Amino acid sequence: MSGRDDADGAGGPGGSGDANDVGGVPDVALDEALAAVAGEQPLINSVTNDVTVNDVANITLYWGGLPVMSDDEREVGDMVGIADGCLLNMGTVSESGEVTMLTAGRAANEAGVPLVVDPVGVGATPTRDRVADRLVTDLDVDVLNGNYGEISALVGDDAEVRGVESVGEYAEIAAAAVECARKTGAVVVASGETDIVATEEAAFEVDAGHSMMGAVVGTGCMLGVTLAVFEAALDDPLSAALSGTAAYGLAGELAAEGAFGDYRGPASYKIAFLDAVAGLADASTPDIADRIDRIEVR
């Protein structure tokens, strides 16, 4: 339940090579994933939107990563080439921004740097549709992060996206996420009331989060860079998507429970949420296996 405003088997520290749990759910050890992030301190270059750039930088740091926000075409390729991960976020689309994102994405592909793409607002305007199509077609994307409407729009399903917000009903979102994974070759995270993580072969439901997260602008952007941080540390897209999505949702729950201070509304909740991200590794990290269920998709 990320409340965004708006995959078979895993390897590496966050999962195992076989989906051998009940229902074919990969093993995901959140404490190991958080320790890997802390140990790696991955440098993440985010080419993101003007609205949430500070939040994206801070949450990168709070997870244990190192943020850099290079968005100048003249240097972004060099910066991405020395980074451990890269996020491309379409939140504020411009002609120069499109060029910069493509330059950054190509540099990531050439250097073997994990790439996360957040096609914000795709489905809302022809310009965003065109830019999103270029990003997922021209680039090799490791993780694709979008809300229900955006993921549906990418595969040509009926989607209602107003501005950058997903509205409407999406009863077949798991199937759409799997189709999107097949189309793009990426692990897909469809964020909404219940988050869906999908590969070309399977879909998983991640039951974590709180409705207050939907009252804060930028939670989708912050989820995107969370996935970039975890992918850089774990070097496995499915492990990163499952553990990163679950960790993000758990931080939202802890903030709502008052574990990181009382809140009186969306503004103070946001502060508690950011504190929860920073403190999650030191909190009593629960076993998240019972939060992840495999969904049968034909």
Side-chain angles (χ1 to χ4, degrees):
M1 303 179 189
S2 75
R4 171 177 176 165
D5 59 89
D6 325 64
D8 292 306
S16 67
D18 298 310
N20 54 11
D21 285 1
V22 176
V25 178
D27 294 328
V28 180
L30 185 55
D31 55 347
E32 293 181 15
L34 291 168
V37 170
E40 292 290 332
Q41 291 187 299
L43 175 66
I44 308 298
N45 190 98
S46 295
V47 182
T48 189
N49 68 78
D50 299 336
V51 178
T52 61
V53 62
N54 188 62
D55 294 329
V56 169
N58 274 324
I59 205 164
T60 302
L61 186 64
Y62 298 161
W63 282 124
L66 301 173
V68 62
M69 320 303 284
S70 175
D71 62 357
D72 189 318
E73 184 195 354
R74 296 171 298 177
E75 73 152 11
V76 72
D78 293 331
M79 188 66 77
V80 169
I82 62 172
D84 300 301
C86 179
L87 168 70
L88 305 181
N89 177 297
M90 275 177 39
T92 47
V93 176
S94 68
E95 187 174 355
S96 62
E98 177 183 352
V99 173
T100 298
M101 284 190 290
L102 288 167
T103 300
R106 290 172 183 137
N109 289 168
E110 289 171 7
V113 172
L115 179 62
V116 175
V117 169
D118 190 342
V120 179
V122 62
T125 68
T127 294
R128 289 178 185 266
D129 292 348
R130 181 184 58 77
V131 174
D133 185 67
R134 288 197 71 187
L135 293 178
V136 301
T137 301
D138 294 0
L139 304 175
D140 291 327
V141 181
D142 293 286
V143 179
L144 185 66
N145 170 56
N147 60 35
Y148 285 7
E150 291 158 354
I151 297 304
S152 297
L154 280 173
V155 297
D157 287 353
D158 290 338
E160 191 174 354
V161 180
R162 300 186 64 190
V164 298
E165 308 293 338
S166 173
V167 296
E169 300 294 327
Y170 298 92
E172 303 299 325
I173 188 58
V178 169
E179 184 179 351
C180 189
R182 290 170 180 167
K183 176 181 177 180
T184 63
V187 171
V188 172
V189 177
S191 61
E193 183 177 356
T194 300
D195 296 329
I196 304 297
V197 175
T199 68
E200 299 178 43
E201 304 296 334
F204 303 92
E205 187 176 78
V206 182
D207 185 14
H210 192 272
S211 60
M212 277 301 297
M213 298 171 77
V216 177
V217 169
T219 49
C221 302
M222 290 187 279
L223 174 58
V225 80
T226 294
L227 299 172
V229 169
F230 277 72
E231 164 64 351
L234 301 181
D235 196 28
D236 179 85
L238 179 56
S239 294
L242 290 172
S243 57
T245 301
Y248 193 78
L250 288 173
E253 290 180 10
L254 289 170
E257 292 167 2
F260 289 86
D262 295 334
Y263 66 92
R264 308 184 81 175
S268 50
Y269 173 79
K270 177 181 176 181
I271 299 301
F273 170 66
L274 292 172
D275 283 342
V277 168
L280 185 63
D282 295 325
S284 178
T285 307
D287 181 358
I288 60 170
D290 61 349
R291 300 292 194 105
I292 303 173
D293 291 311
R294 182 163 178 153
I295 305 170
E296 293 303 321
V297 177
R298 295 181 181 179

